[in-house]
Amino acid sequence: MTEQTEQTEQTEQTAETAETEQAEERQALVSPPPPDVLPAAPAVPEGTPLVPAKAGKDRRVLRAVLRWTAVAVVFAAVGTAAAYGITRQERTDLPGLATESDGRWNYPEIVRPPLPSGSPAPFAEANKAAAHHADLRALVLPAPEGAKADKALRGEDGWLATKDFLAEFASKEDRKAAGQVLTDHGLRHVAARGWTTQDGTHTRIYLLRFGTAAVADELFATELIHYDSPTYAVRGAEEFDRDEDFPEKTEFAHVTRSPYAETKPYGAEQVRQAYLSAGDTVALIVQSRKGTAEAVPFQQTVVLQSQLLS
């Protein structure tokens, strides 16, 4: 075999190798392996430099860069699609957004209060008691724009006395029974807020904190509610039915709710109320209005308070 023939064969082999590597690189761009089956990085022997020397930057490094670039492009496309999906949602699908015609209130910007340094979120795996370490007073939903504050619910330094919470219930017997139940379950704090909007709707929100989520859940499920009615009647109403009009998409993880609406015939005003259970906290939300208590602002208030506790 002549020297010229050997050089010709070497040239052809080099060309075939280059074409194969280029084909692999194109395939990596158009068909990147899915993220969950990407090959694991090879073990690095002890003492191997984390940054390779310049001489090691061969085609294998180039192919790896191209492959990861392709994966990044895929994730960017998915993120763009998710953002587009949010912008395309109807305003009524997102809690708290006001529209011109559905009767929702305009709330200020609602932000969860910060956690104390080193404290886990209420439903983090490390938080076995599902405790809300944030200030309970800061977890009460703020009043909507233009509402008049209910001074009676301000309490002392933001904490409401238990007797003032119990005053929400109509009969002396219910107040006594509910008070004993709260004592038996180790009630720790009550935070509250109330307001009246321009249409005459009077809203009261109470947050009750207990030692653990297990205690709060037991109180909620066995003492405060029945499926079709609350255990203790609030002021201004006697008969309630479960309110089944809440859309399922407004439910939040870790928050259980039981909403009720006063049934006809009611008196001068109608009352709506809802109990929430979220970790170590139980909430009672009450709305009343002369004539009819509208469903939309009640649902909005319940959903936003649930969101703060979730």
Side-chain angles (χ1 to χ4, degrees), residues 211-282:
T212 65
V215 172
D217 284 343
E218 180 184 9
L219 174 73
F220 173 84
T222 65
E223 300 290 348
L224 297 179
I225 66 169
H226 302 294
Y227 177 79
D228 57 348
S229 65
T231 302
Y232 307 110
V234 296
R235 289 176 286 132
E238 294 183 2
E239 298 294 330
F240 286 88
D241 277 343
R242 189 174 177 87
D243 187 347
E244 303 288 0
D245 293 335
F246 276 75
E248 291 184 4
K249 60 188 173 184
T250 62
E251 295 180 351
F252 290 89
H254 310 296
V255 179
T256 304
R257 72 184 179 207
S258 288
Y260 304 95
E262 184 183 6
T263 58
K264 293 181 178 181
Y266 35 82
E269 62 179 15
Q270 184 189 23
V271 179
R272 295 179 183 269
Q273 71 173 97
Y275 279 103
L276 306 176
S277 178
D280 64 346
T281 302
V282 172

Side-chain angles (χ1 to χ4, degrees), residues 149-160 192-194:
D150 187 343
K151 296 180 180 179
L153 296 185
R154 290 179 179 174
E156 183 177 351
D157 197 24
W159 299 115
L160 190 71
R193 179 171 287 120

Side-chain angles (χ1 to χ4, degrees), residues 45-109:
E46 185 177 357
T48 302
L50 294 180
V51 180
K54 291 183 179 179
K57 293 183 178 179
D58 56 11
R59 288 186 178 276
R60 288 175 298 175
V61 176
L62 177 61
R63 286 199 296 273
V65 171
L66 291 172
R67 188 172 293 120
W68 282 105
T69 301
V71 173
V73 169
V74 171
F75 278 118
V78 172
T80 302
Y84 178 77
I86 291 175
T87 60
R88 290 293 300 168
Q89 281 186 288
E90 296 297 329
R91 294 176 66 83
T92 53
D93 293 341
L94 301 175
L97 293 181
T99 66
E100 294 296 332
S101 60
D102 67 358
R104 298 188 187 195
W105 293 337
N106 292 323
Y107 279 93
E109 182 180 3

Side-chain angles (χ1 to χ4, degrees), residues 168-200:
E168 186 65 55
F169 301 117
S171 71
K172 180 178 179 180
E173 292 77 11
D174 280 352
R175 291 194 293 271
K176 182 178 180 180
Q180 187 60 55
V181 165
L182 296 180
T183 299
D184 293 343
H185 286 78
L187 175 65
R188 299 177 63 184
H189 300 292
V190 180
R193 179 171 287 120
W195 63 80
T196 302
T197 51
Q198 294 179 353
D199 68 350

